[in-house]
Amino acid sequence: MATVSGGDRDFDLTRAHFQRVRQLIGEYAGISLAASKQDMVYSRLVRRLRALKLDSFDDYLQIVVADEQGERQAFVNALTTNLTAFYREAHHFDVLDRVLGEFGSRKVRIWCSAASTGEEPYSIAMTVVEHYNSWSPPVEIVATDINTEVLRQCRSGIYGLDRIEGIDAARRKRFFQRGVGAMAGKARIKPELQRLVDFETFNLLGDHWSRFNGVDIIFCRNVMIYFDKPTQASLLKQFHRVMNVNGWLFVGHSESQVRDVPGFVAQGHTVYRSQAVGVAA
Ligand SMILES: C[S@@+](CC[C@H](N)C(=O)[O-])C[C@H]1O[C@@H](n2cnc3c(N)ncnc32)[C@H](O)[C@@H]1O
Protein backbone atom coordinates (compact mmCIF):
# COMPACT_ATOMS: atom_id res chain seq x y z
CA MET A 1 0.00 0.00 0.00
CA ALA A 2 1.38 3.46 -0.90
CA THR A 3 2.12 5.33 2.29
CA VAL A 4 2.22 9.09 2.35
CA SER A 5 5.70 9.16 3.77
CA GLY A 6 8.43 7.30 5.66
CA GLY A 7 8.25 3.58 6.38
CA ASP A 8 9.41 4.09 9.98
CA ARG A 9 6.01 5.19 11.18
CA ASP A 10 3.72 3.28 13.48
CA PHE A 11 0.71 3.57 11.18
CA ASP A 12 0.25 3.78 7.41
CA LEU A 13 -1.44 6.91 6.21
CA THR A 14 -2.12 5.97 2.60
CA ARG A 15 -2.90 8.48 -0.11
CA ALA A 16 -6.48 7.28 -0.02
CA HIS A 17 -6.67 7.97 3.73
CA PHE A 18 -5.17 11.40 3.24
CA GLN A 19 -7.66 12.24 0.48
CA ARG A 20 -10.49 11.08 2.73
CA VAL A 21 -9.21 13.30 5.56
CA ARG A 22 -9.10 16.27 3.19
CA GLN A 23 -12.63 15.56 2.03
CA LEU A 24 -14.00 15.17 5.58
CA ILE A 25 -12.37 18.28 7.05
CA GLY A 26 -13.64 20.22 4.03
CA GLU A 27 -17.13 18.92 4.69
CA TYR A 28 -17.11 19.48 8.46
CA ALA A 29 -15.20 22.75 8.77
CA GLY A 30 -14.77 24.18 5.27
CA ILE A 31 -11.04 23.78 5.59
CA SER A 32 -9.31 23.27 2.27
CA LEU A 33 -6.23 21.24 3.23
CA ALA A 34 -3.33 21.59 0.81
CA ALA A 35 -1.88 18.45 -0.75
CA SER A 36 1.40 19.29 1.01
CA LYS A 37 -0.13 18.83 4.47
CA GLN A 38 0.12 15.06 4.64
CA ASP A 39 2.86 15.01 7.27
CA MET A 40 0.93 17.49 9.38
CA VAL A 41 -2.20 15.33 9.12
CA TYR A 42 -0.23 12.28 10.23
CA SER A 43 1.32 13.97 13.24
CA ARG A 44 -1.97 15.48 14.40
CA LEU A 45 -4.18 12.45 13.90
CA VAL A 46 -1.76 9.80 15.11
CA ARG A 47 -2.37 11.11 18.64
CA ARG A 48 -6.05 10.30 18.23
CA LEU A 49 -5.26 6.76 17.05
CA ARG A 50 -3.05 6.26 20.09
CA ALA A 51 -5.61 7.78 22.46
CA LEU A 52 -8.27 5.41 21.11
CA LYS A 53 -5.82 2.47 20.97
CA LEU A 54 -6.56 1.86 17.30
CA ASP A 55 -4.46 -0.09 14.82
CA SER A 56 -5.11 1.78 11.61
CA PHE A 57 -6.32 4.92 9.91
CA ASP A 58 -9.06 2.80 8.32
CA ASP A 59 -10.52 2.11 11.75
CA TYR A 60 -10.04 5.70 12.82
CA LEU A 61 -11.78 7.24 9.82
CA GLN A 62 -14.73 4.91 10.26
CA ILE A 63 -15.12 6.14 13.83
CA VAL A 64 -14.93 9.75 12.66
CA VAL A 65 -17.57 9.21 9.99
CA ALA A 66 -19.85 7.36 12.42
CA ASP A 67 -19.12 10.13 14.97
CA GLU A 68 -18.65 7.53 17.69
CA GLN A 69 -18.20 9.19 21.09
CA GLY A 70 -17.92 12.61 19.55
CA GLU A 71 -14.82 11.72 17.56
CA ARG A 72 -15.83 14.04 14.72
CA GLN A 73 -15.29 17.01 17.03
CA ALA A 74 -11.93 15.61 18.16
CA PHE A 75 -10.96 15.20 14.48
CA VAL A 76 -11.86 18.84 13.79
CA ASN A 77 -10.04 19.96 16.94
CA ALA A 78 -6.94 18.08 15.84
CA LEU A 79 -6.89 19.54 12.33
CA THR A 80 -7.57 23.21 12.97
CA THR A 81 -4.60 25.55 13.25
CA ASN A 82 -4.90 27.87 16.22
CA LEU A 83 -1.95 30.22 15.93
CA THR A 84 -2.81 33.54 17.56
CA ALA A 85 -1.44 36.24 19.86
CA PHE A 86 -2.56 39.11 22.07
CA TYR A 87 -2.90 42.31 19.99
CA ARG A 88 -2.04 40.44 16.79
CA GLU A 89 -2.23 42.92 13.88
CA ALA A 90 -2.16 45.67 16.47
CA HIS A 91 -3.48 48.48 14.26
CA HIS A 92 -6.93 46.83 14.41
CA PHE A 93 -7.22 47.65 18.09
CA ASP A 94 -6.47 51.33 17.47
CA VAL A 95 -9.18 51.32 14.79
CA LEU A 96 -11.57 49.52 17.15
CA ASP A 97 -10.96 52.19 19.79
CA ARG A 98 -11.86 54.92 17.27
CA VAL A 99 -14.86 53.01 15.95
CA LEU A 100 -16.32 52.55 19.45
CA GLY A 101 -16.43 56.34 19.73
CA GLU A 102 -18.99 56.43 16.89
CA PHE A 103 -21.55 54.50 18.90
CA GLY A 104 -21.81 57.03 21.72
CA SER A 105 -23.52 55.44 24.70
CA ARG A 106 -25.60 52.94 22.70
CA LYS A 107 -24.97 49.25 23.22
CA VAL A 108 -22.43 47.76 20.81
CA ARG A 109 -22.44 44.09 19.81
CA ILE A 110 -19.09 42.59 18.86
CA TRP A 111 -18.58 39.10 17.45
CA CYS A 112 -15.13 37.55 17.43
CA SER A 113 -15.81 34.67 15.04
CA ALA A 114 -12.56 32.64 15.14
CA ALA A 115 -11.45 33.20 18.71
CA SER A 116 -8.87 30.42 18.93
CA THR A 117 -7.35 30.29 22.44
CA GLY A 118 -8.78 33.67 23.48
CA GLU A 119 -5.99 36.17 22.89
CA GLU A 120 -8.06 37.99 20.26
CA PRO A 121 -11.35 38.33 22.18
CA TYR A 122 -9.48 39.36 25.34
CA SER A 123 -7.55 41.96 23.32
CA ILE A 124 -10.93 43.25 22.12
CA ALA A 125 -12.22 43.31 25.72
CA MET A 126 -9.13 45.19 26.96
CA THR A 127 -9.61 47.77 24.19
CA VAL A 128 -13.27 48.14 25.18
CA VAL A 129 -12.50 48.62 28.89
CA GLU A 130 -9.84 51.20 28.07
CA HIS A 131 -12.15 53.02 25.67
CA TYR A 132 -15.00 53.39 28.17
CA ASN A 133 -12.68 53.41 31.18
CA SER A 134 -15.17 51.06 32.78
CA TRP A 135 -15.49 47.40 33.74
CA SER A 136 -19.17 47.63 32.76
CA PRO A 137 -19.04 49.06 29.24
CA PRO A 138 -22.18 49.10 27.05
CA VAL A 139 -20.72 46.32 24.92
CA GLU A 140 -21.57 42.66 24.38
CA ILE A 141 -18.68 40.50 23.17
CA VAL A 142 -19.38 37.01 21.86
CA ALA A 143 -16.38 34.89 20.92
CA THR A 144 -16.86 31.70 18.92
CA ASP A 145 -14.74 28.97 17.38
CA ILE A 146 -15.36 25.55 15.89
CA ASN A 147 -12.67 24.01 18.11
CA THR A 148 -13.98 23.02 21.54
CA GLU A 149 -10.48 22.54 22.99
CA VAL A 150 -9.41 26.11 22.30
CA LEU A 151 -12.67 27.36 23.79
CA ARG A 152 -11.79 25.51 26.98
CA GLN A 153 -8.54 27.46 27.07
CA CYS A 154 -10.47 30.70 26.41
CA ARG A 155 -12.75 30.05 29.36
CA SER A 156 -9.87 29.23 31.68
CA GLY A 157 -8.28 32.61 30.89
CA ILE A 158 -4.88 31.21 31.91
CA TYR A 159 -1.80 31.88 29.78
CA GLY A 160 1.91 31.21 30.07
CA LEU A 161 3.88 34.35 30.95
CA ASP A 162 5.63 34.09 27.58
CA ARG A 163 2.23 34.67 25.90
CA ILE A 164 1.73 38.02 27.62
CA GLU A 165 5.27 39.39 27.62
CA GLY A 166 4.56 41.52 24.52
CA ILE A 167 1.76 43.35 26.35
CA ASP A 168 2.88 46.59 27.97
CA ALA A 169 3.37 46.59 31.74
CA ALA A 170 0.42 48.87 32.54
CA ARG A 171 -2.00 46.61 30.70
CA ARG A 172 -0.54 43.49 32.27
CA LYS A 173 -1.10 45.04 35.69
CA ARG A 174 -4.63 46.17 34.92
CA PHE A 175 -5.91 43.04 33.20
CA PHE A 176 -3.90 40.05 34.48
CA GLN A 177 -3.16 38.35 37.78
CA ARG A 178 0.25 36.74 38.03
CA GLY A 179 0.17 33.15 39.25
CA VAL A 180 1.96 32.04 42.42
CA GLY A 181 2.70 28.62 43.88
CA ALA A 182 1.34 25.94 41.58
CA MET A 183 0.40 28.68 39.10
CA ALA A 184 3.89 30.20 38.93
CA GLY A 185 4.92 30.94 35.34
CA LYS A 186 1.32 31.65 34.39
CA ALA A 187 -1.00 34.62 34.35
CA ARG A 188 -4.74 34.72 34.57
CA ILE A 189 -7.16 37.18 32.98
CA LYS A 190 -8.85 39.16 35.75
CA PRO A 191 -12.44 38.05 36.35
CA GLU A 192 -13.75 41.57 35.66
CA LEU A 193 -12.40 41.30 32.12
CA GLN A 194 -13.31 37.66 31.67
CA ARG A 195 -16.97 38.22 32.41
CA LEU A 196 -17.21 40.65 29.48
CA VAL A 197 -16.74 37.84 26.96
CA ASP A 198 -19.18 34.99 26.25
CA PHE A 199 -17.65 31.95 24.58
CA GLU A 200 -19.65 29.62 22.34
CA THR A 201 -18.95 26.85 19.85
CA PHE A 202 -19.92 27.94 16.34
CA ASN A 203 -19.03 26.54 12.93
CA LEU A 204 -18.81 29.33 10.37
CA LEU A 205 -20.12 26.84 7.83
CA GLY A 206 -23.10 25.95 9.97
CA ASP A 207 -26.65 27.17 10.47
CA HIS A 208 -28.21 29.23 13.26
CA TRP A 209 -26.78 32.48 11.98
CA SER A 210 -29.81 34.39 13.25
CA ARG A 211 -28.04 34.26 16.63
CA PHE A 212 -25.82 37.05 15.28
CA ASN A 213 -28.46 39.29 13.73
CA GLY A 214 -27.80 42.93 14.51
CA VAL A 215 -24.11 42.58 15.28
CA ASP A 216 -22.16 45.84 14.88
CA ILE A 217 -18.56 44.68 14.67
CA ILE A 218 -17.16 41.37 13.44
CA PHE A 219 -13.61 40.13 13.79
CA CYS A 220 -12.94 37.29 11.33
CA ARG A 221 -9.19 37.14 11.17
CA ASN A 222 -6.88 34.48 9.79
CA VAL A 223 -9.50 31.82 9.25
CA MET A 224 -10.80 32.55 5.74
CA ILE A 225 -7.31 31.71 4.46
CA TYR A 226 -8.15 28.06 5.21
CA PHE A 227 -11.32 28.12 3.07
CA ASP A 228 -11.68 27.93 -0.70
CA LYS A 229 -12.95 30.95 -2.63
CA PRO A 230 -16.64 29.96 -2.87
CA THR A 231 -16.70 29.26 0.90
CA GLN A 232 -15.06 32.61 1.60
CA ALA A 233 -17.59 34.39 -0.61
CA SER A 234 -20.61 32.75 1.00
CA LEU A 235 -19.23 33.41 4.49
CA LEU A 236 -18.77 37.09 3.69
CA LYS A 237 -22.33 37.27 2.36
CA GLN A 238 -23.57 35.75 5.62
CA PHE A 239 -21.61 38.30 7.63
CA HIS A 240 -23.14 41.05 5.53
CA ARG A 241 -26.62 39.66 6.08
CA VAL A 242 -26.41 39.53 9.87
CA MET A 243 -24.49 42.72 10.57
CA ASN A 244 -26.03 46.14 10.93
CA VAL A 245 -25.66 48.58 8.06
CA ASN A 246 -22.53 50.64 8.74
CA GLY A 247 -21.13 47.75 10.76
CA TRP A 248 -17.42 47.03 10.81
CA LEU A 249 -15.55 43.94 9.64
CA PHE A 250 -11.94 43.23 10.60
CA VAL A 251 -10.10 40.54 8.61
CA GLY A 252 -6.57 39.11 8.59
CA HIS A 253 -3.72 40.76 6.71
CA SER A 254 -3.93 38.43 3.69
CA GLU A 255 -7.72 38.21 3.46
CA SER A 256 -8.26 40.83 0.77
CA GLN A 257 -11.08 38.92 -0.95
CA VAL A 258 -13.59 41.07 0.99
CA ARG A 259 -13.06 43.68 -1.71
CA ASP A 260 -14.90 41.46 -4.20
CA VAL A 261 -18.05 41.17 -2.10
CA PRO A 262 -20.71 43.79 -2.78
CA GLY A 263 -21.70 45.67 0.35
CA PHE A 264 -18.28 45.99 1.98
CA VAL A 265 -16.28 49.17 1.58
CA ALA A 266 -12.59 49.29 2.52
CA GLN A 267 -11.75 51.61 5.41
CA GLY A 268 -7.99 51.32 5.40
CA HIS A 269 -5.87 48.24 5.83
CA THR A 270 -8.02 45.08 6.30
CA VAL A 271 -10.94 46.97 7.84
CA TYR A 272 -14.28 47.13 6.01
CA ARG A 273 -17.62 48.76 6.56
CA SER A 274 -20.92 47.27 5.52
CA GLN A 275 -23.35 49.23 3.39
CA ALA A 276 -26.73 48.30 1.98
CA VAL A 277 -26.08 46.37 -1.24
CA GLY A 278 -26.48 48.70 -4.19
CA VAL A 279 -25.08 51.60 -2.19
CA ALA A 280 -21.49 50.42 -1.96
CA ALA A 281 -19.10 51.83 -4.55
C1 LIG B 1 -5.23 30.75 12.92
S1 LIG B 1 -6.53 30.83 14.07
C2 LIG B 1 -6.87 32.57 14.06
C3 LIG B 1 -7.15 33.08 15.44
C4 LIG B 1 -7.40 34.58 15.54
N1 LIG B 1 -8.56 34.98 14.81
C5 LIG B 1 -6.20 35.36 15.09
O1 LIG B 1 -6.23 35.95 14.01
O2 LIG B 1 -5.19 35.38 15.81
C6 LIG B 1 -7.90 30.16 13.13
C7 LIG B 1 -9.07 29.73 14.00
O3 LIG B 1 -10.19 29.48 13.17
C8 LIG B 1 -10.89 28.37 13.69
N2 LIG B 1 -11.73 27.77 12.64
C9 LIG B 1 -11.34 27.00 11.59
N3 LIG B 1 -12.40 26.62 10.86
C10 LIG B 1 -13.49 27.16 11.46
C11 LIG B 1 -14.89 27.12 11.17
N4 LIG B 1 -15.38 26.44 10.13
N5 LIG B 1 -15.72 27.78 12.00
C12 LIG B 1 -15.24 28.47 13.07
N6 LIG B 1 -13.93 28.54 13.39
C13 LIG B 1 -13.07 27.90 12.59
C14 LIG B 1 -9.80 27.45 14.21
O4 LIG B 1 -10.28 26.53 15.16
C15 LIG B 1 -8.79 28.45 14.77
O5 LIG B 1 -8.99 28.64 16.15
Side-chain angles (χ1 to χ4, degrees), residues 162-180:
D162 57 321
R163 304 290 299 160
I164 67 163
E165 67 191 7
I167 302 176
D168 71 58
R171 279 184 173 147
R172 285 205 305 263
K173 189 160 186 286
R174 187 171 185 188
F175 297 115
F176 292 85
Q177 294 165 329
R178 192 180 257 264
V180 291

Side-chain angles (χ1 to χ4, degrees), residues 28-31 80-85 88-89 113-117 120 144-147 150 202-205 220-223 226-227:
Y28 300 153
I31 293 171
T80 52
T81 295
N82 310 114
L83 184 75
T84 188
R88 182 180 192 185
E89 299 179 41
S113 67
S116 188
T117 40
E120 180 174 290
T144 63
D145 201 285
I146 195 173
N147 182 324
V150 294
F202 186 73
N203 182 352
L204 289 167
L205 248 69
C220 182
R221 307 191 312 162
N222 305 303
V223 62
Y226 299 104
F227 301 158

